[in-house]
Amino acid sequence: MDLENSVMICGFGVSGQAAARLAGYLGKHIVIVDENSTREMREQAAEIRKQYPDVRMDLFFSWTEEITLPRCETAVMSPGVRRGAALFLAAERMNKEVISELEFALRHITCPIAAITGTNGKTTTTELTTALLRASAIRAESAGNIGHALSDCAIEVCEQRVKYLVVEVSSFQIDTVSQFPKHPGVILNIASDHIDRHGGMDAYAETKFRIFSGSLSAPPETRIINSNLLGYRKRFLPAGLPVTTFSATDPDADFTLKNGIICFHGREILPFAESALKGLHNAENIMAALALVRALLGEDAIFATCVRDAIRSFLPDAHRMEVFLEKNGIRYINDSKATNPHAVNAAVATFAAGQNIILILGGLDKDMDFTELAPSLPHIRQAFLIGQCKEKIHDAIAGKVKCKMSSSLESAVKDACSMAKAGDCVMLSPATASMDMFRNYAERGSRFKEIVTGLLAGREA
């Protein structure tokens, strides 16, 4: 094996498959390792072989610790492979370096990049930033944790099909990046999430702040944070390093919400009410997107008519505070994307009108602190608890809000719909991951909508 031209792909899911395609495009010897072996994996490997017939590929599916791996120049680690896992340790022993799929892709990207991380709002902000750049006549593409793997985009950049990239970055992806490149980046917020992976809030926050590791000598407009993170800034960035701030509640931030108008240093951009996005958290997502456009295109760009029009016309994807049905004065809201307490609080704050929320909570635990749901509890008329960690949620909120344990999502939805009256919101906002009962949050949200529409149709019949 040519050590200097070899790549070991560890984990062959979406990210790993994209990394293998990029390695094939670069003409590298590819070693693919995964502890599983599925038909989809084998088909994807065969497709990459067909696409790059001159590239050597070795497969180690159904890998166990007893199987010796070859030595390669670089191991590319998929986000799902944890530090300390057997495959991670084996890769460290057998390769000169271990990097993430994100870093592997970034090494082969030369176009401007805007990077977005945070606990909540990443996807909305990524999609909005891309929309604003496109409205400014920039050929931009969303990539990263949003679903379009960055390694696939790296090929598009090399072939000059994309000029700018807006990259959603998860803490898992940052975790194995040695140093993030010198590009504009934003941290939207930091709240309890993925504590099972990072071991604590400080480690989680420190991982997020590594998005600025390559831009310490860059202008302050490239380092963008919510002003409520300034305490973390003092801990994880060099003393006195300037940043650009945004906030819907802090009047001293660079981007602010003043009398309902989004402003930059007091200069009005547009009234927030003209956007289809609702809630103060979304006002901050708009500010973050504008700050990234300013960092990439200059200050005049954020006041352009085309940018304001793009904000007005922007609609978020499904499963994010999606009011998919309103009947007899009752709103039915699919917020399946809310996979932590912070996201639930944002949804409840957006739709609360007294104690009018009938909330479905629960799913797969990530060792989160569910007492952080406290701001929402005064607005919850009834909570229905489902999934693996329903007992843990019950222990955190029982006594402060009415709770009922439900055996399934179907049972919870049926009970929630039965008690709802005019003025109420029946809301799926689970505060947890979905993989104990569903493939992903999208399947969970779609199933919720199916059950609700089926129940209401049955009542009419």
Side-chain angles (χ1 to χ4, degrees):
M1 179 185 294
D2 179 6
L3 181 64
E4 299 303 316
N5 197 42
S6 56
V7 175
M8 180 180 293
I9 310 297
C10 299
F12 201 55
V14 173
S15 295
Q17 291 164 18
R21 284 189 287 270
L22 177 56
Y25 179 83
L26 297 170
K28 294 185 177 292
H29 178 170
I30 307 169
V31 177
I32 298 173
V33 189
D34 197 295
E35 293 169 305
N36 300 304
S37 179
T38 67
R39 178 179 176 181
E40 194 267 345
M41 286 179 180
R42 294 189 292 273
E43 288 176 348
Q44 285 295 320
E47 186 63 31
I48 294 169
R49 272 197 172 119
K50 181 179 178 182
Q51 190 173 5
Y52 303 105
D54 296 330
V55 170
R56 178 179 169 183
M57 180 189 296
D58 298 325
L59 302 179
F60 291 85
F61 290 152
S62 300
W63 179 83
T64 64
E65 294 180 70
E66 292 74 29
I67 299 174
T68 302
L69 296 173
R71 183 171 177 78
C72 296
E73 178 186 28
T74 302
V76 177
M77 201 63 56
S78 296
V81 183
R82 298 169 179 248
R83 286 183 181 273
L87 180 52
F88 198 109
L89 296 174
E92 284 185 316
R93 288 193 300 269
M94 299 306 300
N95 298 277
K96 290 175 64 176
E97 64 174 355
V98 176
I99 62 174
S100 67
E101 180 268 333
L102 185 80
E103 185 166 5
F104 180 56
L106 287 170
R107 290 181 178 184
H108 302 284
I109 291 175
T110 56
C111 73
I113 289 175
I116 297 163
T117 194
T119 303
N120 296 304
K122 296 187 294 296
T123 300
T124 296
T125 307
T126 299
E127 292 171 342
L128 177 58
T129 304
T130 302
L132 300 188
L133 290 173
R134 289 175 176 172
S136 305
I138 299 295
R139 206 185 321 163
E141 186 73 48
S142 299
N145 195 54
I146 199 169
H148 192 183
L150 193 57
S151 290
D152 284 330
C153 286
I155 297 174
E156 295 178 12
V157 171
C158 290
E159 295 178 345
Q160 299 188 337
R161 288 183 280 145
V162 175
K163 295 297 184 183
Y164 281 65
L165 284 173
V166 184
V167 185
E168 178 182 327
V169 184
S170 72
S171 59
F172 293 2
Q173 292 171 312
I174 302 175
D175 198 28
T176 49
V177 174
S178 55
Q179 179 170 293
F180 215 84
K182 188 178 180 179
H183 294 294
V186 62
I187 305 177
L188 298 170
N189 43 63
I190 295 176
S192 180
D193 201 356
H194 300 303
I195 304 306
D196 59 332
R197 174 80 173 241
H198 297 285
M201 279 297 295
D202 282 356
Y204 177 55
E206 185 175 15
T207 298
K208 293 292 190 185
F209 268 80
R210 288 176 61 189
I211 200 171
F212 301 132
S213 59
S215 63
L216 300 183
S217 60
E221 59 263 26
T222 63
R223 295 178 297 276
I224 306 159
I225 65 171
N226 194 310
S227 66
N228 64 20
L229 302 179
L230 290 173
Y232 283 127
R233 189 272 302 264
K234 293 177 182 177
R235 297 171 58 189
F236 301 131
L237 293 178
L241 186 70
V243 296
T244 295
T245 58
F246 63 92
S247 174
T249 56
D250 178 7
D252 296 325
D254 296 304
F255 285 86
T256 59
L257 188 64
K258 184 177 180 181
N259 298 322
I261 299 174
I262 294 173
C263 302
F264 175 68
H265 289 169
R267 186 178 172 189
E268 295 182 358
I269 300 175
L270 88 163
F272 175 50
E274 294 184 2
S275 165
L277 299 173
K278 305 303 178 187
L280 293 182
H281 64 291
N282 271 320
E284 293 182 339
N285 291 338
I286 292 172
M287 294 177 204
L290 288 166
L292 287 169
V293 170
R294 171 177 174 256
L296 289 169
L297 304 182
E299 190 168 314
D300 288 345
I302 65 176
F303 297 99
T305 299
C306 62
V307 166
R308 290 197 294 267
D309 288 344
I311 294 173
R312 293 185 184 105
S313 62
F314 178 79
L315 295 173
D317 280 350
H319 313 296
R320 299 170 182 86
M321 300 192 203
E322 178 191 6
V323 183
F324 66 94
L325 186 62
E326 189 164 356
K327 196 162 190 175
N328 300 325
I330 304 167
R331 284 188 288 182
Y332 299 87
I333 301 164
N334 168 27
D335 192 38
S336 183
K337 187 68 164 63
T339 58
N340 53 65
H342 183 263
V344 177
N345 290 338
V348 171
T350 300
F351 295 101
Q355 196 177 41
N356 70 318
I357 305 294
I358 301 172
L359 187 63
I360 299 171
L361 288 163
L364 182 68
D365 190 17
K366 295 178 282 183
D367 200 23
M368 292 178 294
D369 181 4
F370 292 111
T371 63
E372 291 186 3
L373 290 167
S376 295
L377 301 186
H379 304 291
I380 298 173
R381 188 152 73 86
Q382 174 80 51
F384 293 95
L385 310 182
I386 62 173
Q388 181 194 76
C389 64
K390 60 186 176 185
E391 289 85 2
K392 183 176 178 180
I393 298 175
H394 181 273
D395 291 344
I397 69 174
K400 300 173 184 175
V401 67
K402 289 183 179 179
C403 297
K404 181 180 178 180
M405 300 281 197
S406 299
S407 59
S408 64
L409 178 62
E410 287 81 357
S411 173
V413 175
K414 183 177 180 180
D415 287 345
C417 291
S418 295
M419 72 176 299
K421 60 185 181 181
D424 285 343
C425 295
V426 175
M427 181 188 297
L428 170 68
S429 191
T432 62
S434 59
M435 286 76 77
D436 60 335
M437 295 158 53
F438 302 93
R439 285 179 298 176
N440 49 45
Y441 74 84
E443 183 183 67
R444 175 172 62 188
S446 296
R447 182 62 187 139
F448 171 66
K449 291 163 65 175
E450 288 173 3
I451 298 167
V452 169
T453 53
L455 283 171
L456 297 188
R459 287 179 186 175
E460 285 188 348

